[in-house]
């Protein structure tokens, strides 16, 4: 099982950026968290963060035929990017650290969600693990668990 974890703009500023919403842990902490649980679950992972929409599209395209799934937190591009929606074409699982449904009106628009089979929002770092476990369960032929 090989998964690509993609993180969008400003997530490299975790720990500094709005700690009241995103917490005090840094992006390096998030990468370590992902590598640790992937090791535990026997998942091979690639992790990428970019502030650039095109770089995220390139990474999604390069995953085709190479990776078994994509776990993406597109950050602000969630709410604006038709390019990411088109690139994902229903292969990804969407993660948000915060509960976007309880935030500003503009965050209620999610283009990327349309191309993602499931969304995990408001679980902090744990959302990434929940998404990876869901993909692993799908790969192992388990029936779909509850939707979030
Ligand atoms: C976010 C939510 C987005 O609305 C915001 O622009 C982000 C982070 C989250 O993880 O909660 O940058 O994707």
């Amino acid at each position: 099982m090989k998964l690509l974890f993609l993180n969008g703009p400003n997530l490299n500023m975790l720990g500094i950026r709005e700690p009241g919403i995103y917490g005090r842990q840094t992006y390096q902490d998030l990468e370590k968290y992902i590598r640790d649980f992937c090791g535990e679950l026997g998942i091979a992972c690639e992790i990428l963060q970019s502030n650039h929409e095109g770089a995220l599209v390139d990474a999604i395209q390069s995953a085709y035929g190479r990776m078994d799934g994509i776990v993406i937190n597109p950050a602000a591009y969630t709410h604006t990017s038709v390019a990411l929606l088109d690139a994902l074409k229903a292969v990804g699982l969407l993660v948000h650290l915060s509960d976007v449904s309880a935030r500003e009106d503009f965050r209620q628009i999610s283009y990327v969600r349309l191309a993602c089979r499931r969304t995990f929002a408001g679980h902090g770092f744990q959302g990434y693990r929940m998404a990876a476990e869901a993909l692993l369960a799908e790969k192992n032929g388990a029936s779909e668990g509850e939707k979030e």
Side-chain angles (χ1 to χ4, degrees), residues 39-56:
E40 208 183 293
L41 298 171
I43 294 170
C45 69
E46 281 179 24
I47 309 173
L48 183 102
Q49 187 277 330
S50 178
N51 294 325
H52 304 279
E53 191 176 14
L56 294 166

Side-chain angles (χ1 to χ4, degrees), residues 9 11 17 22 73-76 78-79 95-98 100 103 107:
L11 289 170
R17 157 189 199 213
Y22 300 113
N73 182 346
T78 307
H79 317 297
V95 172
H96 293 293
L97 296 163
S98 63
V100 279
R103 298 180 63 192
R107 290 185 211 275

